[in-house]
Amino acid sequence: MHPTRWGDPAAAAPLPDSARGLIELAFGLEERPATEDPSVPAGQVEEAVLDGLRTLVGAEHVVTDDDTRRLRTRGKSTPDLLRARAGDLDDAPDAVVRPGTHDEVAAVLAFAVEHHLAVVPFGGGTCVTGGLAARREGYAGVISLDLVRMKRLLDVDQVSMTATLEPGLRGPEAEELLAEHGLMLGHFPQSFEYASIGGFAATRSSGQSSAGYGRFDAMVVRLTAATPSGRLDLGVAPASAAGPDLRQLMLGSEGVFGVITSVTVRVRRLPELKVYDGWRWPSFAVGAAAMRTLAQAGLLPTVIRLSDEAETGINLARPDEIGSDSAAGCLMIAGYEGTPAAVETRRAAVAAVLPVLGGTELGEEPGRSWVEGRFRAPYLRDSMLDVGVLVETLETATWWSNLDRLYTAVKGALETSLGEGAIVLCHISHVYETGCSLYFTVAAKETDDPIAQWEAAKAAAGDAIAAAGATITHHHAIGTDHKTWYRQEIGDVGVSILRAVKAELDPTGILNPGVLIP
Ligand SMILES: Cc1cc2nc3c(=O)[nH]c(=O)nc-3n(C[C@H](O)[C@H](O)[C@H](O)COP(=O)(O)OP(=O)(O)OC[C@H]3O[C@@H](n4cnc5c(N)ncnc54)[C@H](O)[C@@H]3O)c2cc1C
């Protein structure tokens, strides 16, 4: 992936004419050529130290060329892309180190402690919260610990229905290996094509099918991590009353406590059938209430999501059909995966309930559109940045009883901060018995300083989220961007616990300095 863009350049497409027309009308078009190959600052790590790393992982796996360092700089939030587009890659690591085994990871960590090098674990590089931009000050250098060589499926247990995966496997690679055994993980975040197994675990990722298959942290039954203080092997049974669950300390730890070197995850049989239906709702509130009813009745489909009126009108899934149709109500996608019998039973049960709650069935076409377009939005973001339109997303979650308050507060905060003409879209992306997550997308004409423009909007939204008593992140994690609100969420005692764990596992603070811990 290029540092200024998302994904495979071959998959990028110019804005379709219809979308271009609408965007011109809404924001005007102002071509913003990006610096295509921003330069990285010279590496600071001494050659003798690099030689030491070479003896640990092999000379060919300590890489210092500009291209490789460029591609390991920061993540894929809009500010990350804007900084790279403006030619700023100041957070580039000095070297990229590629260990091939758990023991090599452990050896690199021990070496980094000795030489006081900051270590940034790197999976797919799709982080959107600043979790790959570690602090450099006070360290002899920064190395990106790229897990790209650790891509094995280590074990499959067809009886227990678990599989053990190495952290460097990207989403599609993991699914391909499992499919050879007739199995699947079922974790499909929008970043699926590039994000890695280790990254999913380190950020508590959630996917588009999490209603059916569960969040990634719920899938992990066992994990291994290398820490500067030694090896952690956690999880010996499907459930346990042996004290607090230490796996949970590593899940979501964003590389600050250790490097996750394998996870054992629960797996499913490959579905024989997948069907995705569309449902129309007269309003977001009525659709949300229907989702709550399904969740609390134990009737959730595998995929369920509900766009608000604005997002339904814009139809993000199909950039070539972007339009504004306020009469469209609110679109819900309900998808079912499994054996034909299981699909039929669940689909019939849902179809019996939803009309009673106010839904109108739209058939399979909206579902097909959503499936086709589900990984395209990040490419659309690039095209909009190219013409001077700021596009970014944020997400949160709350209890059902607090949903209206949160939705109104965050939408209002974003609209006020971004000003007249800004578009704020929202959908319910994940649903639980007790509540759900809200995922906001904004588009606004860029000011002269779009990073400051977004930071102001993000701060307003973060404050609104905190004031509404919701979480600052349902699945994007903390990184560096969310630390202020994370402190409010867990309180001073919570912060002290994190610091104590950090001091125990990483006493010299080499792992991802500045990330996660407020
Ligand atoms: C367009 C787009 C769409 C997205 N959609 C979703 C979505 O639908 N759902 C969702 O949950 N997220 C989504 N994200 C966010 C991101 O993809 C997730 O946070 C993902 O889990 C990160 O995985 P990664 O492999 O890319 O991790 P990276 O970006 O490489 O790393 C993320 C953090 O984890 C640490 N880390 C990585 N690997 C390890 C390891 N093995 N051990 C310890 N620490 C490690 C890193 O140091 C960093 O702090 C999206 C991002 C983008 C850009």
Side-chain angles (χ1 to χ4, degrees):
M1 272 198 287
H2 196 273
T4 62
R5 297 185 169 273
W6 174 255
D8 175 5
L15 278 177
D17 284 347
S18 59
R20 208 178 157 83
L22 193 81
I23 290 163
E24 183 166 20
L25 212 63
F27 307 113
L29 297 176
E30 216 169 290
E31 302 292 336
R32 298 272 168 112
T35 309
E36 283 306 330
D37 285 310
S39 57
V40 287
Q44 288 180 16
V45 176
E46 289 168 20
E47 201 55 33
V49 173
L50 294 174
D51 278 344
L53 289 165
R54 290 180 182 116
T55 61
L56 300 175
V57 296
E60 68 277 33
H61 300 307
V62 177
V63 190
T64 55
D65 67 85
D66 284 1
D67 253 359
T68 310
R69 292 170 54 224
R70 193 179 283 129
L71 296 176
R72 301 291 173 271
T73 307
R74 306 192 189 108
K76 290 290 167 199
S77 69
T78 296
D80 291 338
L81 301 183
L82 288 170
R83 284 194 181 96
R85 280 167 175 252
D88 165 9
L89 289 184
D90 286 356
D91 290 316
D94 297 305
V96 177
V97 181
R98 297 173 173 156
T101 62
H102 171 97
D103 289 347
E104 285 187 5
V105 172
V108 171
L109 294 186
F111 184 91
V113 168
E114 194 184 328
H115 296 272
H116 207 50
L117 297 169
V119 177
V120 183
F122 189 97
T126 66
C127 179
V128 284
T129 54
L132 295 164
R135 200 181 63 232
R136 170 178 284 279
E137 298 78 47
Y139 293 86
V142 176
I143 59 171
S144 173
L145 190 83
D146 189 345
L147 296 154
V148 68
R149 287 175 61 217
M150 297 180 67
K151 281 186 189 277
R152 285 173 302 166
L153 169 59
L154 296 173
D155 183 50
V156 173
D157 179 345
Q158 292 267 10
V159 178
S160 310
M161 290 294 281
T162 62
T164 303
L165 300 161
E166 285 194 318
L169 284 164
R170 288 185 171 169
E173 294 169 337
E175 291 295 4
E176 233 168 80
L177 288 173
L178 289 170
E180 288 171 16
H181 299 266
L183 301 172
M184 75 179 304
L185 191 53
H187 188 65
F188 303 111
Q190 196 183 50
S191 52
F192 168 71
E193 291 157 296
Y194 294 93
S196 71
I197 293 294
F200 294 152
T203 61
R204 287 185 187 276
S205 169
S206 200
Q208 294 165 347
S209 312
S210 289
Y213 299 127
R215 297 165 59 89
F216 198 81
D217 49 5
M219 294 179 181
V220 176
V221 296
R222 185 184 178 89
L223 64 83
T224 301
T227 80
S229 296
R231 176 182 172 122
L232 272 172
D233 285 294
L234 298 168
V236 295
S240 164
D245 187 347
L246 294 180
R247 288 173 302 190
Q248 298 301 329
L249 262 186
M250 296 310 295
L251 295 169
S253 65
E254 301 184 46
V256 306
F257 295 155
V259 180
I260 295 165
T261 51
S262 75
V263 292
T264 302
V265 284
R266 69 165 192 238
V267 287
R268 319 272 169 155
R269 303 256 172 249
L270 278 171
E272 293 164 42
L273 185 62
K274 299 181 184 181
V275 186
Y276 305 91
D277 293 326
W279 288 82
R280 176 180 294 138
W281 297 88
S283 71
F284 195 47
V286 174
M291 286 174 132
R292 171 165 55 85
T293 302
L294 290 182
Q296 293 174 348
L299 278 181
L300 281 180
T302 316
V303 172
I304 186 157
R305 47 197 288 124
L306 173 74
S307 295
D308 71 356
E309 290 83 351
E311 188 173 284
T312 302
I314 294 265
N315 190 6
L316 270 187
R318 297 212 129 180
D320 40 350
E321 285 176 18
I322 276 181
S324 189
D325 178 3
S326 55
C330 290
L331 176 67
M332 175 191 282
I333 301 295
Y336 311 84
E337 300 181 3
T339 60
V343 166
E344 197 184 310
T345 309
R346 181 55 58 102
R347 192 180 185 201
V350 171
V353 172
L354 293 189
V356 180
L357 300 172
T360 308
E361 195 168 354
L362 300 175
E364 292 180 37
E365 169 48 28
R368 267 195 295 270
S369 283
W370 174 75
V371 169
E372 278 167 26
R374 64 198 282 195
F375 299 125
R376 277 164 63 187
Y379 292 104
L380 183 59
R381 171 176 63 167
D382 288 334
S383 308
M384 292 182 68
L385 291 176
D386 286 344
V387 293
V389 180
L390 175 79
V391 179
E392 182 56 308
T393 64
L394 60 82
E395 39 77 56
T396 174
T398 194
W399 317 112
W400 287 117
S401 56
N402 196 37
L403 183 62
D404 285 354
R405 178 177 168 217
L406 179 66
Y407 173 72
T408 308
V410 179
K411 191 172 160 64
L414 289 168
E415 284 170 349
T416 305
S417 177
L418 290 167
E420 210 178 312
I423 294 177
V424 178
L425 316 173
C426 182
H427 65 259
I428 292 179
S429 59
H430 300 87
V431 174
Y432 305 89
E433 274 177 66
T434 51
C436 67
S437 66
L438 289 177
Y439 187 95
F440 290 88
T441 304
V442 305
K445 187 174 172 54
E446 280 182 12
T447 62
D448 290 344
D449 186 349
I451 295 177
Q453 181 188 11
W454 171 246
E455 281 173 353
K458 172 80 182 178
D463 290 347
I465 287 169
T471 180
I472 193 61
T473 174
H474 167 265
H475 57 265
H476 282 169
I478 298 297
T480 49
D481 298 357
H482 288 153
K483 288 198 317 183
T484 310
W485 298 288
Y486 186 38
R487 170 183 275 283
Q488 294 176 37
E489 215 170 301
I490 61 173
D492 289 346
V493 176
V495 174
S496 303
I497 294 170
L498 292 179
R499 290 194 178 154
V501 174
K502 175 81 171 168
E504 196 56 46
L505 294 179
D506 179 23
T508 61
I510 54 149
L511 279 165
N512 244 353
V515 170
L516 178 68
I517 303 177

